[in-house]
Amino acid sequence: MDPLIQVKNISKSFGQTRVLDGISLSIDKGEILAIIGPSGSGKSTLIRCLNGLEKVDSGRVNIGGTLVESTQSVAGRVGMVFQQFNLFPHYTVLNNIVRPLETVKKLPAREARSKARALLEQVRLEDKEDQYPRSLSGGQQQRLAIARALSMTPDIMLFDEPTSSLDPELAFEVFETIRTIASRHMTMILVTHQMNMVKNFANRVLFLEKGNILFDGSFESLMASENSRIQQFLKKIYP
Ligand SMILES: Nc1ncnc2c1ncn2[C@@H]1O[C@H](COP(=O)(O)OP(=O)(O)OP(=O)(O)O)[C@@H](O)[C@H]1O
Ligand SMILES: [Mg+2]
């Protein structure tokens, strides 16, 4: 079986800075890949290239055989959850899910509402549907963002530090939501500094540094790595 995601020798620069330096990577359906590495190493840029939010300078990204050229080319197939939630502030909780279902998935209003309600129940926000995002806690906002991404029935979910703006208790709620998604064998890529998430969810870990893959393997072998750069990084974030 071909890998679901194929990244072939992609490079990306912003001005003089080469942020991705010829990265190649294959990800199979059902894999849960964690990406770690120092700030500025290119983690966000890499996953943004996977859903077309960022255009590569050279190389190519294929998802299920489709060349990723823009967000349009993978519309509905790749869901993304950001650190800063990116909800629609002027829509109610329910409409944050209903409106994209109507416009992107072309569902009739009634069907969109019932689907949105089912998703809100899954992330335990069923009693919040008439509120606006600003009145939700950070953890609730992030769970809404996850529900909205899931409503598009994507093949792949990308998470960019989904819990890093949350205090530990709220982060734990989001963690639990991600655990539920992981248990459904969704293909996931998770950028995080939280090694407990890496340990719990990921069956594969990538360590990025300066736009290069320094490590690609299991959590256990990462822990056993003798690379001094990796050891130094881990000592800081996973003492
Ligand atoms: N749109 C942009 N314009 C200019 N420079 C950018 C842009 N996006 C990212 N960069 C630069 O590219 C480099 C990599 O950024 P990126 O956000 O991918 O890093 P990261 O590994 O996700 O870091 P962090 O852990 O801090 O989120 C950084 O030096 C950043 O300043
Ligand atoms: Mg980042």
Side-chain angles (χ1 to χ4, degrees):
M1 204 175 59
D2 283 340
L4 179 58
I5 304 172
Q6 267 184 315
V7 175
K8 285 194 189 144
N9 198 22
I10 62 169
S11 293
K12 173 83 185 170
S13 296
F14 292 109
Q16 296 299 308
T17 320
R18 203 167 162 86
V19 176
L20 299 178
D21 189 18
I23 287 194
S24 294
L25 175 69
S26 295
I27 302 165
D28 288 329
K29 190 172 183 302
E31 271 198 290
I32 300 180
L33 176 74
I35 304 180
I36 63 170
S39 181
S41 57
K43 304 180 296 295
S44 296
T45 306
L46 173 59
I47 66 168
R48 289 166 62 85
C49 287
L50 300 184
N51 66 353
L53 276 174
E54 216 65 81
K55 224 168 124 42
V56 298
D57 297 334
S58 60
R60 52 195 288 153
V61 177
N62 275 85
I63 292 188
T66 305
L67 182 66
V68 178
E69 293 173 298
S70 62
T71 49
Q72 212 52 40
S73 49
V74 287
R77 299 195 64 188
V78 183
M80 182 147 176
V81 173
F82 303 84
Q83 182 177 354
Q84 290 306 335
F85 324 136
N86 293 17
L87 295 165
F88 303 120
H90 53 296
Y91 288 158
T92 61
V93 165
L94 188 70
N95 281 340
N96 260 273
I97 303 178
V98 166
R99 294 289 177 253
L101 282 174
E102 289 172 338
T103 55
V104 182
K105 290 283 184 187
K106 312 285 180 216
L107 290 192
R110 178 197 272 269
E111 205 179 316
R113 272 199 303 277
S114 79
K115 190 165 178 189
R117 288 197 170 109
L119 281 157
L120 288 178
E121 211 166 301
Q122 278 181 37
V123 297
R124 296 182 301 109
L125 290 175
E126 61 278 8
D127 55 339
K128 304 281 185 203
E129 66 171 59
D130 294 326
Q131 298 196 21
Y132 285 84
R134 65 175 173 276
S135 67
L136 302 182
S137 74
Q140 290 167 340
Q141 290 188 49
Q142 191 60 301
R143 274 146 49 207
L144 175 56
I146 292 171
R148 189 184 57 180
L150 288 173
S151 74
M152 296 290 113
T153 57
D155 300 325
I156 301 158
M157 282 285 278
L158 308 176
F159 294 91
D160 194 353
E161 303 197 37
T163 58
S164 59
S165 67
L166 304 173
D167 70 39
E169 209 169 325
L170 298 182
F172 183 75
E173 295 175 357
V174 172
F175 181 98
E176 287 300 308
T177 304
I178 296 174
R179 184 202 297 284
T180 313
I181 303 168
S183 70
R184 292 186 215 141
H185 307 291
M186 169 79 88
T187 309
M188 293 188 353
I189 302 180
L190 178 62
V191 174
T192 184
H193 287 111
Q194 283 190 279
M195 293 306 283
N196 61 337
M197 289 228 273
V198 178
K199 187 179 178 186
N200 272 278
F201 300 143
N203 40 42
R204 181 175 168 194
V205 190
L206 220 62
F207 186 103
L208 275 197
E209 184 173 64
K210 296 187 182 133
N212 288 289
I213 298 174
L214 209 57
F215 175 92
D216 181 351
S218 68
F219 178 80
E220 290 71 27
S221 56
L222 176 79
M223 289 298 143
S225 168
E226 291 185 353
N227 181 303
S228 60
R229 183 66 191 99
I230 292 175
Q231 287 183 346
Q232 183 197 356
F233 181 81
L234 289 177
K235 212 180 285 171
K236 261 190 283 175
I237 67 161
Y238 197 55

